[in-house]
Amino acid sequence: NIFVASRMHTVYLCNFNLKNAEKTGGKDRATKQKIEALERQSSKFRAFYLTKGGDAYNILMSFWLDINCAVYIALNRPDFFISRGAVGYFSLVAAKIFGTISVREIHAVASSEIALLPFGRIKKLLLAFYFKIFNQIDMLADVRIFNHPFLLEHYQKLNKVKKGDFYCYNGYSPAG
């Protein structure tokens, strides 16, 4: 088993605003709880995430967080780099260069959900391009954690599952 908690040096990166995660609930609260559980289980831990809202801030700071995380990986050589959301390119490259195991959380087939979004055609085209980039990051990670067995099955049908990929339902357990 590659995950030996008592000796793990773990880095977690996401582009969610987690400042008031307990109040906002949903994915923010679950992500914050996951970070807290990882921190308890790791011998050394560092998390990179947003602390403000706003589209322009999110785009600029996501880029900045990714670069900071990549530098952290280069300087500290953690065992694991875990990412979720629309971030992780530079950090993933650093993880590959410095021998850190990269783990990517996959919560949806984003390209399938574009049609469901309440946006105009141009914004949907931009999102489609954006999702293609992050799908590549998903594919380059050493291990992918799918949040549902149907999602894992979808990737299996596309022959895009690697040894070590697995699913773990969304949710939180205080014992985690």
Side-chain angles (χ1 to χ4, degrees):
N1 187 354
I2 63 170
F3 299 102
V4 180
S6 64
R7 294 178 289 174
M8 287 192 324
H9 176 183
T10 305
V11 177
Y12 189 92
L13 170 67
C14 71
N15 67 323
F16 307 148
N17 176 1
L18 302 181
K19 184 174 183 181
N20 296 312
E22 292 304 319
K23 292 179 185 174
T24 57
K27 75 175 181 192
D28 295 341
R29 182 177 63 206
T31 300
K32 183 77 168 175
Q33 290 170 338
K34 185 184 322 170
I35 286 170
E36 291 166 354
L38 283 167
E39 187 170 19
R40 284 193 308 273
Q41 297 298 318
S42 300
S43 60
K44 188 173 180 183
F45 183 79
R46 176 74 190 267
F48 295 85
Y49 55 86
L50 299 176
T51 56
K52 290 184 190 174
D55 289 342
Y57 173 84
N58 188 325
I59 292 168
L60 292 173
M61 286 307 294
S62 293
F63 183 72
W64 181 246
L65 281 175
D66 195 5
I67 291 171
N68 278 319
C69 185
V71 169
Y72 181 88
I73 290 168
L75 296 176
N76 294 280
R77 314 279 173 96
D79 300 302
F80 299 97
F81 162 62
I82 304 170
S83 66
R84 176 181 179 193
V87 289
Y89 178 77
F90 298 109
S91 300
L92 181 68
V93 169
K96 294 287 187 189
I97 291 170
F98 295 105
T100 296
I101 296 170
S102 58
V103 180
R104 187 84 172 147
E105 294 181 30
I106 301 177
H107 290 254
V109 180
S111 59
S112 306
E113 297 185 357
I114 292 173
L116 304 172
L117 298 173
F119 303 130
R121 183 181 169 138
I122 293 173
K123 191 165 186 177
K124 285 183 178 181
L125 285 172
L126 289 172
L127 283 173
F129 175 73
Y130 187 68
F131 291 157
K132 277 188 182 260
I133 292 169
F134 288 98
N135 183 58
Q136 290 304 311
I137 294 172
D138 294 345
M139 295 301 104
L140 291 172
D142 297 317
V143 176
R144 276 85 51 86
I145 303 171
F146 298 92
N147 78 327
H148 195 280
F150 292 156
L151 192 55
L152 175 61
E153 188 177 294
H154 171 79
Y155 278 79
Q156 285 172 329
K157 288 178 182 174
L158 298 173
N159 292 319
K160 292 187 175 184
V161 172
K162 299 177 183 181
K163 182 179 180 184
D165 289 354
F166 62 96
Y167 76 87
C168 179
Y169 283 106
N170 269 347
Y172 170 71
S173 166

